Amino acid sequence: DPDLPICVEQTVLVWLPLAFLWLCAPWHFANLCKKAAKAPLSKLYICKQVKCSHAKRFVFSVRRRPRAVDSGSLFVFWLLQVLCAIFQFQTLLRDALNKVLNVCFFSSQSALHYMFGSFQSHLTRTYYWRYRRPLVQEDMWDLNEKDSSQAICQGFEDIMAIELKKARSSLQKKRNKPKTKDGHQNGLAKGVSQDVLVMKEKKKKKKEKKDSESEYPNSWLVPTIAKTFKGVLLESAFFKLIQDLLSFASPQLLKLMISFTQDKSSQAWTGYLYAVLLLVVAFLQSVILQQYFQRCFILGMKVRTALMAAVYKKALVVSNDSRKESTAGEIVNLMSADAQRFNDVTNFIHLLWSCPLQIALAIAFLWIELGPSVLAGLLVMVLMVPINGWLATKSRGFQMENMKFKDKRMKIVNDILNGIKVLKYYAWESSFEAQVQEIREQELKVMRKFAYLSSVSTFIFSCAPAIVSLATFAVFVSVSPNNILDAEKAFTSISLFNILRFPLAMLPQLISIMVQTAVSKKRLEKFLSGDDLDTMAIARDDSHSAAVSMTEGTYAWERDTEPVLKNVSLDIKPGRLVAVVGAVGSGKTSLISALLGELHSLKGRINIKGSVAFVPQQAWIQNATLKDNVLFGSDVNEERYRSVVEGCALGPDLDLLPGRDQTEIGEKGINLSGGQKQRVSLARAVYSSADVYLLDDPLSAVDSHVGKHLFERVIGPKGLLKDKTRILVTHGISFLPYVDEIVVLVNGVVSEVGSYDGLRASKGAFSEFLETYAQESDFEQIDMLPEGLEPQADGSPEDIVSSTLKRENSLRHSQRHNITELYLQYLRSMGWCLVTWSFLFYFIQNVAIIGQNLWLSDWTDDSVKYFNTTYPNHIRDTRIGVFGALGVAQGFLVFLGTILLADGSISASRSLHTSLLSNILKVPMVFFDTTPSGRIVNRFAKDIFTVDEMIPMSFRSWILCLLGVLGTLFVICLATPIFTAVVVPMAVIYYFVQRFYVATSRQLRRLDSVSRSPIYSHFGETVSGLSVIRAYGHQQRFLKQNEDTIDQNLKSVYPWIVSNRWLAMRLESLGNLVVFFSALFAVISRDSLNSGLVGLSISYALNVTQTLNWLVRMTSELETNIVAVERVREYAEIKNEAPWITTNRPPDDWPTDGNINFENYKVRYRPELELILHGITCDIQSTEKIGIVGRTGAGKSSLTNCLFRIIEASEGQILVDGIDISTLGLHDLRSRLTIIPQDPVLFSGTLRMNLDPFEKSSDEEIWTVLELAHLKDYVRGLPTGLQHVVSEGGENLSVGQRQLLCLARALLRKSRILILDEATAAVDLETDDLIQNTIRTEFSHCTVLTIAHRLNTILDSSRVMVLDSGKIVEFDSPSVLLNNKQGHFYAMAKDAGIRGGETTNTHSTLFIG
């Protein structure tokens, strides 16, 4: 007796798969026609196609396309074929015809081969192998052309330009609207009370605030995104619509299934048909849903890419005004956090219309079931909307506040990382740690409020389904005694309510995501619509006779500030060498910036003939090989390259570097000395072979003999650039006689222009300048460099850095920690007590849900019990009361669980951030030298963001999903115990699928994290070298490099998206099988089951697919996100330097005398490296002034680093006033010594904070030191005085002023030992003189060690220490050393033009020539 009628088997089941295939056929034919296949369609092949009517043949035509993977429609076709063949197969089996059996078996086998052999197995195979070993970047597939960042950005930028133009014009119209005039009469005269005036004032302020908010074009970003990606948006919308409609088919099938179990007379095959239909509908739903998700995630990825590229491009052209509004840290935040927000929101964007649609359909179907009673449930839902709105508004405020604190915190962290060496020298770490912690506490406070608010919304939405169903059922049974709740009505309604639960739960989430994105949208719109640098500021007219001309130029750094250059007119003929001289702050660097077009033009014009090359005062070095730094994107010309390297004295340096010119230079050039950096920067300019060279004091950072070499071989009249136009800002008087023209600047005005001799004769400002600094007798001709005194190589501070960087840069650097250990660590930092209680609450809540549904199942049995009799009121009331109580209990339990979990996650966030920050400040200096700062910033930005926001959410969802799945399986097994037989094999399959997926997914997320760091590193590098990139006009090359870096990142994002779909398809198939089996077993054992339990088990099963999917998604999400804990922990466990404070504390007034004794002191950077100081032994007496000289790389800076224990001794000791410094805590030691470092580092904050971060000194003391540092007048003139805000890196002060501030810091510390590390290398002679005089008078009672570039600064020292290759070769008074004609010091002095017997008066010893 067949299961289905024979006619159904032979018609419906045969035609169903074929009908599906023919429906898809046009689409396949279209694909075939798009491109000619490489295997041509021969005549014979076409004849076969025509002759063979069997439709299956069509399948192979699709496979003829080269590199084609079988499509999803074919997969569905074979699946339908197999399912339909099952019934035919069963009938044939019964007929026991062997021949037919074999044919059928073969047919099914081939179908299975096609299902799993091609469409599915490619990915599965990949995952299997990746499961065996971790994925690395090399395993990633190349991107399709249309998915590359270049293709994405091109379309986005074109549309953005149009939309931005529209937004700007509407803003202009708004501004031009005539404003209503306010009556300016006195309010009191009109009898208006004071309160009303105050109210008016408040309103006015609010209005002003609102006006300032709308000062930039807004509301253009979303239309731009929509228009750019409209294709993907519409496709995904179509899939979403189909999926939504299909989701309502299951409840209808459930209804039929329940009526089938109630009606014992109906035939068995109808039950089997319903079971199969449930499976087919669920399967179709899964396929369509995955298509929808695939498109949404790809869209999110594209939107993020477009925004990141747009922010980068904008940063390259942004004007100074706009740039001042956003620090580097904030712009990085725009690229990381804000672009990511848009990525997240696009995944949910269709829910904006889909949620209301689902709600409307659910209500319609519920109306059919329960009639007008549904309105009661609807009313409850409507009441929730305003509550929802209020919660959203509140959370938006918290979100805004949170972003502000994040930006503030990242700004300080950036500062700390940029100035870490100075913090260590001054022992200021704890002050900055306190600042960051204070902001962090405020951030956590806001996060706690946000979490509590979320708990309230979770409570409301946990209660929602229960309250809605309660209201509906209660009204339904109360309205009329005839209304009895039966299983059909109840469980169809329940499954409809379950569908309703998703849009209801998603709405608040959606609103909060929209709110967060609105904040990000504002920030992005403000930055992207900021003013660009005026590219027309510099004219490029080649008909001009002058190479560089400026007419009546008045320029300011920003639109509303005082001009820094006033009425400057210059005409510089081609091929001339022009020197620009002047005191600190006279506008020399501003002049160069104006010529580069970096300043805001108030009036005047500039014309430059030809291309420009620029050497900034502080060299900007890229994280690339040394050769790449010199070539800077130009083509290689070996001959020119060699002559440039030789001219810039880089030859000897290359011999010292491990990979010669292929050595990787670290971030900010950390493995080069200051002199090497400057020479590489100069070599870059020379190699570019431009027409005009702007040289901003490139000779100050190099030793005098190297400076002389560079002037002679490169810049001077006989150098490589002799035929080019050169504008040289310089402080070195020795070069001035050899320039063609000198421009003297005084306070931003050109006071004199002329030749050297002419200006000296005119007795103007220039001759005074010279008189101060030099006597005529000292001018000598620049001789050729003496033989044997060729510039020596600078010793690289650490050659091993290069290899470390290479190792670190490898994207394979991603270890696998034991994941369980990470979970335990996170739970431990949350607190076991909170975790246990919240889990307990969630568990009881789940029990309440099951209880409620079992109660409902029992309730529906009343319809049978009281059939044709009146339904007793007391039973009705009991049913409603218990059902309602269990519903409300769920809400409260979730609320309590969520609040406890929120508290736990905040304490975890606190402890992880604290341990990361305090450890980073305690790690040795060598760590910062070998780790790109982008990587550390990433820990504080992305990883802490994950710990703060992502992990708590994933963790909560994971617990709820896990309990949900367990509850479902429990209920199904309770209804049909036979189901337990299926649970075990399914659990095994589930486990393996999950392990496969999670291993791959975690590795892909790790690669995503690792490949994201270079995006931020490259971005930070670009922002710091903007003026150089713009000067050379290399914006396009950097944009391309940024696109390549983003593409590398996309290569790991794209497979991750695909892997999610791979997983979802398998999991949903499992879930669909749960539905199928629960229905199948219900049909099999329908005689022993009541309809209530059937309804309960199938309605639960229908829900399981989604929950299963979420469970694995959350498990993977959690495992992926927990990697952030691993990354934070990795940096929180780096080995520290010595403790800051030990039990052995020095006396309070130590050092009282300032005696320093080195005893056989040896040191190396790391245990495996060579010694850099070879057994230094010397005694320095109290108040001695010691000059330390030596060729670059001789170990001068290492000596000071040893005093501060930046590098620890490998042998020997240093005694200060008889105490061995290695026995003291680092803070005790460092806070008693003072250094004025080579690079004047300032931190963003107030001037006062920069001088005295611990606020130990009074204002009087600070004003006194400012006076001694010759800054008092300048600071007095500032509107906010000591509270003047210093911008990032001290950019709003000149280099000279920064150096004077560092002097003020030193004066304030009042210590007995002072170290000057080439402190005057970057300042002009006037400032140098001020600093030297202050040091002579104010530090006369101190022991002073001076590392000198300019020998004249140490000629009045008590003794001079000459170092060579880490050993002391001479140590005596300058006069003795100068009289030793064979000595090292004599050779250096001769080279610098200093002769013996001139040591009495420093002014007279200024070397010339």
Side-chain angles (χ1 to χ4, degrees):
D1 190 29
D3 291 329
L4 294 171
I6 292 288
C7 67
V8 173
E9 276 184 19
Q10 290 180 352
T11 53
V12 177
L13 295 188
V14 173
W15 284 103
L16 189 70
L18 291 180
F20 175 77
L21 187 67
W22 285 116
L23 276 172
C24 300
W27 183 64
H28 281 299
F29 273 124
N31 271 356
L32 269 177
C33 300
K34 267 185 196 167
K35 280 183 187 166
K38 287 203 180 138
L41 299 171
S42 65
K43 287 179 187 172
L44 177 66
Y45 177 75
I46 293 166
C47 290
K48 274 186 194 171
Q49 291 298 310
V50 174
K51 283 182 184 172
C52 303
S53 59
H54 200 295
K56 284 182 221 172
R57 296 270 183 193
F58 166 67
V59 167
F60 301 104
S61 67
V62 178
R63 300 207 77 203
R64 290 175 62 79
R65 294 192 65 196
R67 294 167 63 202
V69 173
D70 281 357
S71 71
S73 50
L74 295 183
F75 171 64
V76 175
F77 164 72
W78 287 116
L79 180 73
L80 288 172
Q81 186 82 336
V82 170
L83 289 173
C84 294
I86 290 172
F87 294 97
Q88 296 164 317
F89 187 50
Q90 207 174 351
T91 309
L92 290 170
L93 257 178
R94 289 198 179 135
D95 295 349
L97 294 170
N98 283 328
K99 196 175 83 174
V100 183
L101 188 145
N102 290 337
V103 172
C104 240
F105 180 67
F106 171 74
S107 165
S108 297
Q109 212 180 16
S110 73
L112 284 167
H113 164 73
Y114 272 102
M115 268 170 61
F116 297 106
S118 48
F119 176 54
Q120 302 278 293
S121 69
H122 177 67
L123 265 175
T124 310
R125 203 164 48 239
T126 313
Y127 285 130
Y128 177 70
W129 287 114
R130 295 307 161 236
Y131 182 65
R132 311 305 304 167
R133 69 173 178 78
L135 277 165
V136 289
Q137 188 71 24
E138 287 74 25
D139 294 323
M140 297 295 109
W141 322 315
D142 281 336
L143 292 172
N144 292 327
E145 185 57 42
K146 66 176 194 306
D147 294 328
S148 69
S149 50
Q150 188 184 2
I152 295 167
C153 304
Q154 195 51 55
F156 181 77
E157 278 162 18
D158 295 345
I159 293 171
M160 180 171 112
I162 299 165
E163 290 297 319
L164 193 50
K165 198 174 173 187
K166 282 186 202 164
R168 284 209 170 107
S169 63
S170 68
L171 179 70
Q172 202 52 49
K173 280 178 195 163
K174 210 165 155 189
R175 281 182 183 155
N176 294 341
K177 266 188 191 167
K179 288 185 179 146
T180 51
K181 289 180 182 174
D182 290 335
H184 290 298
Q185 296 170 352
N186 184 335
L188 292 171
K190 290 153 76 181
V192 180
S193 78
Q194 196 61 37
D195 293 350
V196 176
L197 284 175
V198 171
M199 290 291 287
K200 276 189 178 174
E201 196 60 37
K202 278 186 182 170
K203 276 184 186 169
K204 199 172 166 189
K205 275 184 187 166
K206 266 191 185 173
K207 190 168 184 296
E208 276 169 18
K209 194 181 169 190
K210 204 175 174 187
D211 285 349
S212 70
E213 267 183 24
S214 59
E215 269 306 287
Y216 54 92
N218 49 22
S219 309
W220 55 266
L221 187 57
V222 174
T224 305
I225 293 172
K227 286 178 185 174
T228 311
F229 304 110
K230 60 177 177 286
V232 190
L233 272 168
L234 290 172
E235 268 180 44
S236 48
F238 172 72
F239 281 119
K240 183 69 179 145
L241 181 66
I242 302 287
Q243 197 265 333
D244 283 354
L245 296 175
L246 274 174
S247 62
F248 286 97
S250 302
Q252 300 312 310
L253 287 168
L254 170 66
K255 187 176 176 180
L256 293 170
M257 195 79 192
I258 293 173
S259 67
F260 163 78
T261 49
Q262 283 173 336
D263 181 8
K264 306 293 181 198
S265 63
S266 55
Q267 284 189 319
W269 71 267
T270 50
Y272 290 122
L273 179 66
Y274 294 151
V276 171
L277 278 175
L278 269 172
L279 177 62
V280 171
V281 167
F283 188 81
L284 278 175
Q285 220 178 317
S286 301
V287 171
I288 287 169
L289 185 66
Q290 296 326 310
Q291 288 293 333
Y292 159 71
F293 272 136
Q294 171 75 0
R295 279 160 179 75
C296 276
F297 277 98
I298 295 289
L299 174 66
M301 179 182 90
K302 286 182 172 179
V303 169
R304 196 195 84 187
T305 304
L307 288 174
M308 281 167 87
V311 168
Y312 183 88
K313 191 169 187 177
K314 184 69 185 181
L316 282 176
V317 296
V318 73
S319 69
N320 273 319
D321 290 14
S322 307
R323 191 174 159 205
K324 187 171 178 271
E325 285 177 16
S326 324
T327 61
E330 283 169 358
I331 301 175
V332 170
N333 247 349
L334 288 176
M335 277 185 98
S336 56
D338 294 323
Q340 187 60 41
R341 283 257 155 76
F342 268 90
N343 181 5
D344 297 340
V345 84
T346 41
N347 300 338
F348 300 109
I349 199 73
H350 289 300
L351 296 180
L352 283 175
W353 60 263
S354 166
C355 285
L357 174 74
Q358 284 177 332
I359 291 170
L361 281 172
I363 288 167
F365 280 112
L366 280 165
W367 186 285
I368 295 167
E369 291 303 319
L370 304 171
S373 318
V374 170
L375 294 175
L378 188 61
L379 182 69
V380 174
M381 279 159 57
V382 170
L383 286 175
M384 284 177 184
V385 174
I387 301 173
N388 199 8
W390 178 79
L391 288 171
T393 318
K394 289 295 282 180
S395 52
R396 178 175 179 214
F398 290 147
Q399 199 61 37
M400 291 276 280
E401 220 177 321
N402 201 5
M403 286 306 275
K404 272 186 198 144
F405 288 133
K406 252 192 190 48
D407 282 348
K408 218 166 164 188
R409 176 170 60 85
M410 283 315 298
K411 191 173 169 182
I412 297 185
V413 168
N414 252 328
D415 262 357
I416 289 176
L417 295 177
N418 289 334
I420 187 72
K421 199 165 193 170
V422 171
L423 288 189
K424 287 189 180 299
Y425 279 147
Y426 289 135
W428 278 359
E429 297 101 327
S430 42
S431 160
F432 278 77
E433 185 178 357
Q435 280 184 49
V436 176
Q437 287 292 34
E438 188 186 333
I439 294 171
R440 178 69 178 160
E441 278 309 313
Q442 292 172 306
E443 195 183 338
L444 289 174
K445 213 179 250 171
V446 175
M447 268 169 57
R448 172 172 268 123
K449 287 179 190 168
F450 190 69
Y452 284 177
L453 207 62
S454 306
S455 312
V456 175
S457 69
T458 311
F459 163 69
I460 290 170
F461 286 95
S462 305
C463 288
I467 293 174
V468 168
S469 46
L470 170 71
T472 310
F473 290 154
V475 170
F476 178 72
V477 293
S478 310
V479 169
S480 153
N482 302 331
N483 285 356
I484 294 181
L485 201 60
D486 59 8
E488 208 175 299
K489 278 189 165 47
F491 288 105
T492 309
S493 305
I494 283 290
S495 63
L496 285 166
F497 280 134
N498 278 339
I499 292 176
L500 203 53
R501 181 180 285 205
F502 176 72
L504 278 183
M506 279 314 293
L507 273 176
Q509 225 179 325
L510 188 62
I511 289 168
S512 84
I513 290 173
M514 296 300 278
V515 160
Q516 292 170 10
T517 313
V519 175
S520 296
K521 178 185 90 89
K522 270 189 181 169
R523 288 154 53 92
L524 280 163
E525 283 183 341
K526 187 172 184 182
F527 178 72
L528 290 174
S529 62
D531 293 336
D532 290 357
L533 206 64
D534 181 10
T535 46
M536 308 310 291
I538 309 291
R540 300 277 178 186
D541 183 0
D542 290 343
S543 60
H544 262 251
S545 57
V548 176
S549 71
M550 182 190 274
T551 3
E552 293 191 0
T554 302
Y555 291 88
W557 279 102
E558 288 158 44
R559 188 164 283 148
D560 305 319
T561 51
E562 281 295 303
V564 282
L565 296 173
K566 300 160 200 135
N567 292 326
V568 174
S569 293
L570 287 176
D571 265 331
I572 295 166
K573 301 279 179 288
R576 285 172 76 80
L577 168 57
V578 177
V580 178
V581 296
V584 165
S586 60
K588 301 184 296 296
T589 300
S590 303
L591 177 66
I592 297 285
S593 296
L595 292 173
L596 289 170
E598 296 276 326
L599 294 194
H600 183 69
S601 167
L602 298 173
K603 71 167 187 172
R605 59 190 299 278
I606 296 175
N607 186 68
I608 294 182
K609 227 159 101 172
S611 56
V612 174
F614 169 52
V615 181
Q617 193 168 1
Q618 286 178 312
W620 174 72
I621 303 292
Q622 275 189 282
N623 183 357
T625 63
L626 189 133
K627 188 170 188 174
D628 289 342
N629 264 295
V630 174
L631 296 178
F632 200 56
S634 307
D635 297 330
V636 184
N637 174 338
E638 282 301 335
E639 196 181 324
R640 185 164 96 208
Y641 177 68
R642 271 199 302 278
S643 71
V644 167
V645 166
E646 200 181 311
C648 294
L650 284 166
D653 299 302
L654 294 185
D655 299 333
L656 282 182
L657 291 168
R660 289 189 60 79
D661 61 2
Q662 290 305 315
T663 306
E664 182 93 11
I665 306 300
E667 219 178 322
K668 297 190 185 139
I670 50 143
N671 47 341
L672 295 179
S673 70
Q676 283 172 326
K677 277 192 255 187
Q678 196 56 277
R679 296 208 302 281
V680 169
S681 179
L682 182 61
R684 174 197 294 150
V686 178
Y687 188 83
S688 75
S689 160
D691 302 312
V692 176
Y693 283 78
L694 304 176
L695 311 169
D696 191 356
D697 202 13
L699 303 176
S700 63
V702 295
D703 293 346
S704 52
H705 62 286
V706 179
K708 191 168 166 183
H709 172 98
L710 292 177
F711 188 79
E712 193 175 285
R713 300 278 175 90
V714 180
I715 301 166
K718 296 177 189 162
L720 289 170
L721 303 178
K722 58 179 182 289
D723 302 325
K724 309 283 188 182
T725 311
R726 291 140 293 161
I727 298 178
L728 170 70
V729 170
T730 184
H731 297 136
I733 291 183
S734 52
F735 306 120
L736 296 182
Y738 308 98
V739 303
D740 300 320
E741 202 170 6
I742 297 170
V743 174
V744 185
L745 281 174
V746 178
N747 296 330
V749 179
V750 174
S751 76
E752 293 176 283
V753 180
S755 68
Y756 179 76
D757 296 329
L759 289 178
R760 285 190 66 208
S762 72
K763 298 286 180 209
F766 179 68
S767 65
E768 277 175 37
F769 178 73
L770 285 180
E771 289 306 320
T772 324
Y773 292 113
Q775 288 179 354
E776 199 177 337
S777 60
D778 290 327
F779 286 95
E780 296 177 2
Q781 290 300 309
I782 295 187
D783 301 324
M784 288 301 286
L785 285 171
E787 286 304 308
L789 276 176
E790 279 293 308
Q792 298 291 304
D794 282 11
S796 145
E798 192 176 359
D799 297 334
I800 199 82
V801 170
S802 313
S803 53
T804 314
L805 278 166
K806 285 220 167 108
R807 179 178 59 74
E808 289 271 316
N809 271 336
S810 155
L811 293 183
R812 296 165 184 273
H813 179 70
S814 52
Q815 337 83 312
R816 286 177 77 165
H817 275 289
N818 180 357
I819 210 84
T820 324
E821 199 185 311
L822 289 177
Y823 284 126
L824 287 174
Q825 174 166 14
Y826 184 71
L827 293 175
R828 216 174 292 129
S829 48
M830 282 175 81
W832 286 111
C833 179
L834 287 173
V835 174
T836 316
W837 274 105
S838 62
F839 185 80
L840 203 64
F841 281 131
Y842 282 140
F843 182 75
I844 301 170
Q845 180 246 354
N846 222 51
V847 172
I849 292 177
I850 295 172
Q852 190 185 27
N853 285 324
L854 286 171
W855 181 260
L856 181 66
S857 165
D858 201 37
W859 184 355
T860 59
D861 292 344
D862 290 353
S863 64
V864 183
K865 205 189 258 177
Y866 297 102
F867 189 61
N868 284 339
T869 59
T870 21
Y871 191 40
N873 282 352
H874 69 278
I875 292 180
R876 183 194 68 194
D877 296 345
T878 312
R879 292 291 190 202
I880 292 172
V882 173
F883 187 79
L886 286 168
V888 176
Q890 289 170 38
F892 275 110
L893 290 161
V894 165
F895 176 64
L896 291 170
T898 310
I899 274 200
L900 291 175
L901 213 55
D903 273 349
S905 58
I906 281 167
S907 73
S909 287
R910 178 182 288 115
S911 72
L912 284 168
H913 181 271
T914 305
S915 63
L916 172 67
L917 178 68
S918 66
N919 199 67
I920 280 289
L921 290 173
K922 288 191 179 86
V923 297
M925 198 57 221
V926 71
F927 168 78
F928 297 99
D929 290 342
T930 53
T931 310
S933 64
R935 195 165 291 164
I936 307 173
V937 167
N938 211 356
R939 296 293 192 280
F940 280 98
K942 179 84 169 55
D943 294 324
I944 289 291
F945 171 76
T946 306
V947 169
D948 286 351
E949 300 192 12
M950 310 297 283
I951 296 181
M953 254 171 59
S954 313
F955 189 58
R956 191 178 79 202
S957 304
W958 181 79
I959 291 179
L960 291 171
C961 286
L962 177 70
L963 293 170
V965 170
L966 293 175
T968 303
L969 295 177
F970 171 74
V971 169
I972 297 175
C973 293
L974 190 75
T976 48
I978 191 172
F979 185 77
T980 38
V982 184
V983 170
V984 179
M986 284 182 80
V988 172
I989 296 170
Y990 174 83
Y991 175 76
F992 279 114
V993 166
Q994 185 181 334
R995 286 328 301 153
F996 255 43
Y997 166 76
V998 168
T1000 308
S1001 171
R1002 190 174 62 232
Q1003 205 56 25
L1004 284 170
R1005 289 314 286 266
R1006 216 173 242 148
L1007 285 174
D1008 172 29
S1009 251
V1010 175
S1011 61
R1012 213 174 265 214
S1013 290
I1015 298 178
Y1016 305 141
S1017 285
H1018 174 65
F1019 185 68
E1021 188 175 87
T1022 306
V1023 171
S1024 60
L1026 263 179
S1027 50
V1028 177
I1029 297 167
R1030 287 171 179 172
Y1032 286 93
H1034 278 239
Q1035 290 96 321
Q1036 281 310 316
R1037 184 166 69 84
F1038 276 80
L1039 278 173
K1040 179 81 183 77
Q1041 198 178 333
N1042 181 53
E1043 280 170 6
D1044 293 344
T1045 324
I1046 292 178
D1047 279 348
Q1048 280 303 316
N1049 177 242
L1050 291 184
K1051 278 185 188 178
S1052 48
V1053 178
Y1054 193 81
W1056 179 74
I1057 293 171
V1058 177
S1059 71
N1060 277 341
R1061 306 284 64 80
W1062 177 91
L1063 164 86
M1065 208 47 238
R1066 276 149 187 74
L1067 284 191
E1068 295 213 350
S1069 302
L1070 269 182
N1072 298 340
L1073 287 175
V1074 172
V1075 175
F1076 178 63
F1077 284 120
S1078 67
L1080 193 66
F1081 294 143
V1083 174
I1084 291 169
S1085 50
R1086 66 170 172 161
D1087 299 330
S1088 59
L1089 279 181
N1090 68 27
S1091 54
L1093 274 178
V1094 171
L1096 183 63
S1097 80
I1098 297 177
S1099 67
Y1100 252 89
L1102 282 172
N1103 222 16
V1104 81
T1105 314
Q1106 220 169 24
T1107 324
L1108 259 183
N1109 209 338
W1110 272 110
L1111 180 62
V1112 174
R1113 181 71 35 75
M1114 285 305 139
T1115 308
S1116 130
E1117 189 84 2
L1118 199 53
E1119 282 213 14
T1120 305
N1121 289 334
I1122 211 84
V1123 170
V1125 175
E1126 169 195 350
R1127 285 162 60 87
V1128 168
R1129 193 180 73 169
E1130 184 192 342
Y1131 275 20
E1133 289 174 357
I1134 297 169
K1135 194 168 173 292
N1136 288 178
E1137 52 187 357
W1140 284 348
I1141 289 169
T1142 58
T1143 46
N1144 180 23
R1145 310 274 317 248
D1148 287 344
D1149 57 349
W1150 177 87
T1152 43
D1153 304 324
N1155 296 318
I1156 305 171
N1157 309 90
F1158 286 85
E1159 295 179 2
N1160 189 27
Y1161 195 79
K1162 294 179 183 173
V1163 79
R1164 42 170 62 95
Y1165 272 113
R1166 286 219 287 274
E1168 68 272 19
L1169 297 178
E1170 293 293 308
L1171 286 170
I1172 45 170
L1173 292 180
H1174 303 264
I1176 299 273
T1177 303
C1178 66
D1179 291 337
I1180 295 167
Q1181 303 306 317
S1182 174
T1183 72
E1184 262 197 303
K1185 309 289 178 273
I1186 304 291
I1188 303 173
V1189 295
R1191 303 273 181 223
T1192 315
K1196 309 187 293 282
S1197 291
S1198 305
L1199 199 66
T1200 56
N1201 282 341
C1202 294
L1203 263 178
F1204 283 89
R1205 285 176 61 197
I1206 296 288
I1207 318 171
E1208 296 285 2
S1210 51
E1211 207 180 304
Q1213 57 182 12
I1214 301 176
L1215 302 175
V1216 173
D1217 280 3
I1219 294 180
D1220 179 356
I1221 63 168
S1222 63
T1223 61
L1224 301 175
L1226 291 181
H1227 274 193
D1228 280 338
L1229 167 68
R1230 291 171 184 171
S1231 60
R1232 310 297 175 88
L1233 308 175
T1234 297
I1235 185 167
I1236 301 180
Q1238 186 175 359
D1239 296 324
V1241 176
L1242 298 185
F1243 302 96
S1244 40
T1246 61
L1247 269 179
R1248 195 186 199 296
M1249 189 277 290
N1250 267 291
L1251 291 171
D1252 176 30
F1254 291 101
E1255 299 193 353
K1256 286 180 179 168
S1257 311
S1258 65
D1259 278 7
E1260 286 75 31
E1261 288 173 293
I1262 288 177
W1263 281 113
T1264 310
V1265 298
L1266 284 175
E1267 190 169 6
L1268 292 169
H1270 307 279
L1271 279 172
K1272 188 175 183 178
D1273 295 341
Y1274 170 73
V1275 178
R1276 273 263 153 81
L1278 295 170
T1280 45
L1282 287 177
Q1283 297 306 313
H1284 176 67
V1285 176
V1286 176
S1287 68
E1288 214 173 359
E1291 281 180 358
N1292 53 355
L1293 299 172
S1294 74
V1295 177
Q1297 286 165 334
R1298 284 182 239 169
Q1299 197 61 276
L1300 291 172
L1301 264 178
C1302 291
L1303 172 66
R1305 266 181 202 163
L1307 289 163
L1308 198 60
R1309 284 167 79 88
K1310 304 186 183 76
S1311 65
R1312 296 289 308 214
I1313 297 175
L1314 172 70
I1315 292 104
L1316 301 174
D1317 186 357
E1318 298 169 342
T1320 55
V1323 293
D1324 60 72
L1325 297 170
E1326 193 178 345
T1327 314
D1328 186 359
D1329 212 29
L1330 294 175
I1331 292 177
Q1332 293 302 333
N1333 283 332
T1334 306
I1335 288 167
R1336 266 184 226 111
T1337 52
E1338 295 303 317
F1339 294 102
S1340 55
H1341 61 293
C1342 302
T1343 307
V1344 181
L1345 307 182
T1346 309
I1347 294 174
H1349 260 212
R1350 304 174 178 179
L1351 292 187
N1352 60 295
T1353 54
I1354 51 130
L1355 288 178
D1356 57 347
S1357 307
S1358 330
R1359 289 189 289 169
V1360 172
M1361 178 192 291
V1362 184
L1363 288 172
D1364 188 37
S1365 307
K1367 300 185 186 76
I1368 297 181
V1369 287
E1370 292 177 339
F1371 192 18
D1372 213 326
S1373 69
S1375 50
V1376 173
L1377 294 179
L1378 281 172
N1379 291 328
N1380 174 6
K1381 299 276 170 44
Q1382 270 66 49
H1384 285 72
F1385 187 69
Y1386 178 80
M1388 291 168 82
K1390 184 182 171 199
D1391 186 30
I1394 296 171
R1395 295 185 296 282
E1398 289 188 353
T1399 58
T1400 45
N1401 170 7
T1402 320
H1403 292 319
S1404 67
T1405 60
L1406 255 151
F1407 65 89
I1408 304 300

